[in-house]
Amino acid sequence: MNPVGREGEGLINVKDEGAQVHHVRGLTVLTASLFIIGEMAGSGVLALPKAVLDAGWIGIVLLLVCAVMSAYTGFILGKCWIILQQQFPQYREQTRFPYPAIGYESFGNIGRYIVTFCVNATLFGVSTVFLLLASENIEQLLPTHITFCTFLPIIAACLWPITWLGTPKDFWPIAIGATCATAVACAAIFIQSLLDISTHPNPVYPPSDFGKFFLAFGVILFAFGGHAAFPTIQHDMRNPNDFSKTVSIAYSGIVCLYLPVSVAAYFVYGDRNDDNILSVISPSWITTVATVLITVHVLMGFVIVINPFCQEVEDFLGIDTAFNWKRVANRTVILAVILFVAETIPQFGAILSLVGGSTVTLLTFVFPSMFYMRLCKQHGIPLPLYQRVIHIEIILVGLVGGISSSYSAIDAIVTGNAKFTVPCYVNATAAHG
C-alpha cells in the first residue's frame, strides 16, 4: 500500500492510480452541492430568525462563525473518507455506512457504534421535523376541516413510494427541486419582510440570557448540521476527491439563503419572531408562494434525509442493495415509526435544540476533527501544529456549546417552557394549537 502524502495545505495526493475512486454514473460536484443544500436549508431557514432574536444581535455573528466552522469540518470529514478509500480498498466499493466506517477505522468498534447512534438519531429526528413542518404548512395553505394530525398520515402515504429509491444518485432531480424551491422561498420571505417595514415601525429586541442564548445556539447548530449524510453523498460522487469543491459551493449557497432572511426578520419584526417565520410575515400572495415552496422543500428533503438511515438499517438486516420486497417492507416500517413519533410529539420546539446541541454537534464539530487527527497519526500523514490547534479549538467550542445547548433544551422541557401538547391520537384538536 502506498503511503498517503500531502499536497498543498492538508490536501491528499495518491500516486497509486488504483487508489483513485471514480464512479462513472455518480453525482457531479454541482449535483452533490444541491443535495447538501436540499438536505440542510429547509427547517433551518424557518427557525433561524427566532434563534437570532434569542441570542441577540451577536446571533448574526454566531451564524456566520458556525457556517465557517461547519464548512471546514465538512471539508475535513471529506478528507477522512478519502484516507479510508486510499488505505482500505474495501471502501472503494459500494458502502452503505461511510460515516460509521470512519469512526471504526479511527477508534474501533466503539467509534462505529457511537457514530451509528448519532447519525441515525439525527437523521430520524430531522425526518420527523420535516414531516411535522410539511403538515403544519399544508394545514395553513388548505383551511379545511382536515386537522394537522390528519395531514400527517396523508403526507406520509404520499412520500411512501418515493422512499423506496436506493441511494442519492437515484433521485438527483429531488435535490435540484428542493434547492430551487428553497432559493425562491427565501427570496420571497426576504421581499415580504422588507414590505413589512412600514407596518412594524418600532420593533422590540428583548435581552438574551443563558437559556435563550444556548437554545438559539442549538437551533443554529441544527441549521448547519448536515454532516450525518455527507459521507454518503461523497461516496456517491463520480470523483469523491472533489468533495471539498462540493462543500464550498454548498455552504456559499446556504449562507446566501440564511443570512438575508435572518437579518431582515430580526431587524423588522423583533420580538414578534416565532419558531416558524412563515407565521410571522404578513399574509399575502408572496407569503403563500414562500409557504408552498418551503413545503415542497421539506417534502423533498425528507426523502434525502431518510435515505441514509434506511440504508443503515438494511445493512444491519442483511438486505441486498438491489431493489426488492425486503427494502419496501423495511422502509415502510421506518416511515410508520417516524409517523408515530410525529403523532406523539406534534410540536418539537426545544427538541430541535436538543438534537442540534447533542448528536448534531458531535457529528458536525467534534467527530470530524477528532477522527482526522487520529487517522493522520495512524497513517503517518503530517499535520502542522497550527492545524492541530484549530482542530482542538473546534472540538472544545463544539463540546461547550453542545453541552450548554442540550442543558438549556432539557431544562425547557422539564420546566414546561417547551410547548408540548397531548399526542394526536389522544386529542387531535388539542394536539397542535
Side-chain angles (χ1 to χ4, degrees):
M1 179 76 67
N2 285 345
V4 178
R6 289 179 71 247
E7 181 182 17
E9 187 173 301
L11 297 179
I12 299 168
N13 178 37
V14 177
K15 298 180 180 179
D16 180 4
E17 289 186 359
Q20 297 288 345
V21 180
H22 295 277
H23 299 143
V24 176
R25 299 184 60 186
L27 302 173
T28 64
V29 169
L30 180 59
T31 308
S33 301
L34 295 176
F35 265 104
I36 293 177
I37 297 174
E39 173 206 3
M40 291 174 60
S43 57
V45 75
L46 299 180
L48 280 176
K50 179 62 161 56
V52 171
L53 175 70
D54 287 342
W57 65 266
I58 196 68
I60 298 173
V61 178
L62 185 62
L63 189 153
L64 293 173
V65 170
C66 287
V68 173
M69 291 175 57
S70 179
Y72 179 74
T73 56
F75 176 59
I76 293 301
L77 188 60
K79 293 203 288 185
C80 289
W81 182 242
I82 294 301
I83 291 175
L84 260 64
Q85 289 189 317
Q86 293 169 348
Q87 296 291 342
F88 306 100
Q90 66 268 30
Y91 296 122
R92 301 170 199 166
E93 305 300 328
Q94 178 66 32
T95 304
R96 281 185 164 185
F97 44 94
Y99 205 154
I102 294 173
Y104 173 75
E105 298 300 343
S106 299
F107 291 97
N109 281 327
I110 188 171
R112 171 194 290 165
Y113 297 148
I114 293 175
V115 172
T116 297
F117 171 80
C118 290
V119 168
N120 291 333
T122 300
L123 296 176
F124 185 91
V126 174
S127 298
T128 307
V129 169
F130 278 3
L131 185 60
L132 288 167
L133 284 173
S135 183
E136 180 177 316
N137 289 347
I138 291 176
E139 183 188 31
Q140 293 177 1
L141 290 169
L142 303 175
T144 66
H145 65 282
I146 301 177
T147 65
F148 165 87
C149 294
T150 304
F151 274 120
L152 285 171
I154 294 175
I155 295 170
C158 293
L159 293 172
W160 179 47
I162 308 177
T163 63
W164 301 346
L165 296 171
T167 66
K169 65 177 181 291
D170 295 325
F171 45 86
W172 60 266
I174 294 178
I176 296 176
T179 303
C180 293
T182 303
V184 177
C186 288
I189 295 172
F190 179 71
I191 292 171
Q192 186 60 53
S193 298
L194 297 182
L195 294 175
D196 285 346
I197 292 177
S198 60
T199 59
H200 298 79
N202 298 303
V204 178
Y205 308 104
S208 183
D209 55 35
F210 178 90
K212 286 183 178 180
F213 180 85
F214 282 104
L215 279 173
F217 189 48
V219 172
I220 294 173
L221 292 176
F222 186 92
F224 291 105
H227 289 51
F230 280 13
T232 300
I233 294 172
Q234 181 183 13
H235 184 61
D236 279 341
M237 290 180 64
R238 291 179 185 175
N239 183 6
N241 290 279
D242 288 337
F243 190 67
S244 59
K245 300 177 184 177
T246 294
V247 171
S248 299
I249 295 173
Y251 274 83
S252 297
I254 290 169
V255 170
C256 288
L257 297 178
Y258 283 174
L259 193 60
V261 171
S262 301
V263 172
Y266 172 73
F267 285 108
V268 173
Y269 303 111
D271 62 353
R272 285 175 52 90
N273 278 293
D274 198 4
D275 289 336
N276 188 342
I277 186 60
L278 293 175
S279 65
V280 177
I281 58 179
S282 299
S284 68
W285 69 268
I286 297 177
T287 301
T288 301
V289 169
T291 304
V292 170
L293 292 174
I294 286 293
T295 303
V296 170
H297 170 92
V298 295
L299 291 173
M300 294 180 175
F302 179 91
V303 177
I304 297 173
V305 171
I306 197 177
N307 183 266
F309 176 66
C310 293
Q311 291 189 60
E312 181 74 32
V313 175
E314 286 158 13
D315 182 82
F316 177 77
L317 297 176
I319 298 176
D320 191 80
T321 57
F323 182 82
N324 56 75
W325 71 268
K326 292 182 180 179
R327 176 197 288 181
V328 174
N330 173 67
R331 300 191 182 191
T332 300
V333 171
I334 290 174
L335 184 59
V337 174
I338 291 174
L339 176 61
F340 174 77
V341 173
E343 296 273 8
T344 302
I345 312 175
Q347 293 192 28
F348 262 62
I351 298 296
L352 188 144
S353 292
L354 179 60
V355 174
S358 55
T359 58
V360 169
T361 297
L362 291 174
L363 293 169
T364 304
F365 295 100
V366 178
F367 290 162
S369 290
M370 184 183 296
F371 293 165
Y372 184 65
M373 289 192 292
R374 178 77 169 185
L375 290 170
C376 287
K377 181 178 180 180
Q378 289 177 343
H379 301 289
I381 302 173
L383 188 63
L385 178 61
Y386 79 92
Q387 288 190 21
R388 191 179 301 274
V389 171
I390 291 175
H391 288 303
I392 293 174
E393 289 179 346
I394 290 175
I395 292 172
L396 290 177
V397 170
L399 288 175
V400 173
I403 292 172
S404 301
S405 177
S406 298
Y407 170 81
S408 298
I410 294 173
D411 180 69
I413 296 171
V414 173
T415 58
N417 292 328
K419 298 178 181 178
F420 278 101
T421 56
V422 296
C424 284
Y425 44 78
V426 173
N427 189 328
T429 302
H432 189 266

